[in-house]
Amino acid sequence: MDFGVVLQTNPPASRTVELARQAETHGFDYVWTFDSHLLWQEPFVIYSAILAATRKVIVGPMVTNPATRDWTVLASLFATLNEMYGNRTVCGIGRGDSAVRTLNGRPSNLSTLRDSIHVIRELGNDRAVEHNGRTVRFPWAKGSELEVWVAAYGPLALKLTGEVGDAFILQLADPDIASWMIKAVRDSAEASGRNPDDVKFCVAAPAYVGAGDSPAERAHMREQCRWFGGMVGNHVADIVSRYGTDSAIPKALTDYIKNREGYDYNEHGRAGNSHTTFVPDEIVERFCLLGSPREHVEKLKVLQDLGVTQFAAYLQHDNKEETMRLYGERIIPAMAEAVVATA
């Protein structure tokens, strides 16, 4: 299993770069960031600094979207970074949430998402593509390589991911929900003639490492990560409005938003925000990884057995450095040992 961190590009940018450098030092393979240009600093500018300050980590957005970003410009950004730093980028993409909603826009439809994935992937991999009635190609992007990873929740988005995605990004760490969604993506890949084993599976969720042996400490961990249930709830609300509450979607994903009253994007992804009181403790525990290194390893092993190939840890809490350190010293090595023992 690979490991990543997910950062917000809050100022100063030097802080984001330093966290990315620490992540590589502690053995993480990927550095992801939010991509919402009104709420945070421009990530692609910061990616260049991260890549210059590191040697191996792969960087990319979790996730960008085809509505606020021109597809050819996106591909050019990735291809340029690849030329400068050697094929160390990845494109995470979805329909759009905070980046479009803060502009009073709507997420892209799935047809647009599908088309954008094709254009970005072809250009980012040094191939020609038809776009807007013209064949286009970057004449300078020799040898650029780019994977496109798709974030999805709803049935049709999961189907699209299996058909065209290099990987599936699932932004929650509940094993029951993950099992259902991974199966949906794998079934779609197989039905479209692809080898399901060629699709990677990334689970992204807040990770907070601490002793967790007192009720007060456990409660603090939950409060620091409760924002995540609110963020996921935005996507779930869209799914419920489209499919209702009696669809095949797991009840664990849809039931908890019944008391959701709204969402303030000015507090998007921030610990202690004021609009996530509807998220119960049970959901925080199910969606996130909290507690001792042993607890993290136990849950990661379950996810790995489901087919998860990367865990990306959101670090929007007050314990960033310590969580990364303990992952590097305890959790990542324990997962590597488990793989060797299984082999």
Side-chain angles (χ1 to χ4, degrees):
M1 179 184 280
D2 289 334
F3 288 88
V5 296
V6 187
L7 307 173
Q8 283 178 342
T9 53
N10 293 302
S14 58
R15 168 69 168 157
T16 306
V17 176
E18 172 59 19
L19 288 171
R21 190 196 64 76
Q22 289 183 40
E24 180 174 77
T25 299
H26 290 305
F28 288 87
D29 308 285
Y30 285 73
V31 172
W32 304 89
T33 73
F34 287 59
D35 178 16
S36 193
H37 59 287
L38 291 181
L39 298 178
W40 302 289
Q41 293 180 315
E42 172 54 45
F44 283 90
V45 176
I46 298 173
Y47 293 159
S48 192
I50 290 173
L51 289 165
T54 56
R55 297 184 299 111
K56 297 186 295 184
V57 289
I58 296 170
V59 305
M62 186 175 285
V63 292
T64 192
N65 72 89
T68 60
R69 297 276 190 184
D70 180 272
W71 312 345
T72 61
V73 174
L74 265 176
S76 180
L77 288 166
F78 288 115
T80 299
L81 291 171
N82 284 343
E83 189 280 326
M84 294 173 68
Y85 300 105
N87 288 332
R88 290 170 55 199
T89 66
V90 59
C91 177
I93 194 167
R95 295 174 57 226
D97 182 33
S98 61
V100 295
R101 296 188 194 274
T102 52
L103 291 169
N104 201 30
R106 300 182 62 182
S108 301
N109 61 41
L110 292 178
S111 176
T112 298
L113 178 59
R114 182 189 296 272
D115 291 344
S116 71
I117 291 168
H118 177 65
V119 170
I120 294 165
R121 178 189 285 122
E122 295 307 291
L123 290 175
N125 283 283
D126 189 19
R127 297 190 289 262
V129 68
E130 294 291 323
H131 183 55
N132 287 341
R134 171 172 290 184
T135 300
V136 294
R137 184 174 190 169
F138 300 142
W140 45 267
K142 304 301 182 185
S144 177
E145 297 177 3
L146 180 69
E147 290 186 345
V148 182
W149 296 25
V150 185
Y153 289 104
L156 292 179
L158 294 171
K159 180 175 181 292
L160 179 148
T161 302
E163 292 169 349
V164 303
D166 293 306
F168 167 44
I169 296 173
L170 171 58
Q171 290 163 305
L172 57 83
D174 178 79
D176 292 336
I177 298 172
S179 176
W180 182 83
M181 291 192 172
I182 288 172
K183 182 179 185 303
V185 172
R186 290 180 63 88
D187 288 349
S188 172
E190 186 171 21
S192 65
R194 302 179 67 193
N195 183 349
D197 293 336
D198 291 340
V199 182
K200 301 174 184 177
F201 294 94
C202 173
V203 160
Y208 195 119
V209 185
D213 52 4
S214 74
E217 184 178 7
R218 195 75 181 197
H220 177 75
M221 292 182 187
R222 287 195 295 266
E223 287 308 311
Q224 285 288 301
C225 298
R226 198 176 303 276
W227 63 268
F228 186 67
M231 186 185 83
V232 173
N234 296 331
H235 303 285
V236 175
D238 286 344
I239 293 170
V240 170
S241 68
R242 180 181 181 92
Y243 297 100
T245 57
D246 297 322
S247 66
I249 300 165
K251 294 294 185 183
L253 183 61
T254 58
D255 282 358
Y256 85 96
I257 68 162
K258 289 179 180 177
N259 296 321
R260 178 181 181 270
E261 295 180 353
Y263 192 83
D264 182 1
Y265 278 94
N266 290 314
E267 297 182 308
H268 188 59
R270 299 189 187 280
N273 62 39
S274 60
H275 55 270
T276 58
T277 55
F278 74 93
V279 181
D281 289 350
E282 177 193 4
I283 288 295
V284 181
E285 294 278 357
R286 292 182 67 167
F287 284 13
C288 306
L289 275 76
L290 310 177
S292 67
R294 176 186 56 79
E295 290 178 277
H296 284 247
V297 170
E298 288 176 353
K299 192 164 187 177
L300 287 168
K301 286 180 178 178
V302 172
L303 292 170
Q304 187 175 53
D305 288 344
L306 294 176
V308 174
T309 56
Q310 180 182 153
F311 173 65
Y314 280 95
L315 295 177
Q316 285 65 54
H317 54 59
D318 61 2
N319 198 38
K320 298 177 179 65
E321 283 89 348
E322 182 69 359
T323 291
M324 284 196 291
R325 182 184 72 81
L326 288 169
Y327 260 77
E329 293 180 4
R330 302 278 298 278
I331 297 168
I332 295 175
M335 292 300 295
E337 289 175 7
V339 171
V340 172
T342 301

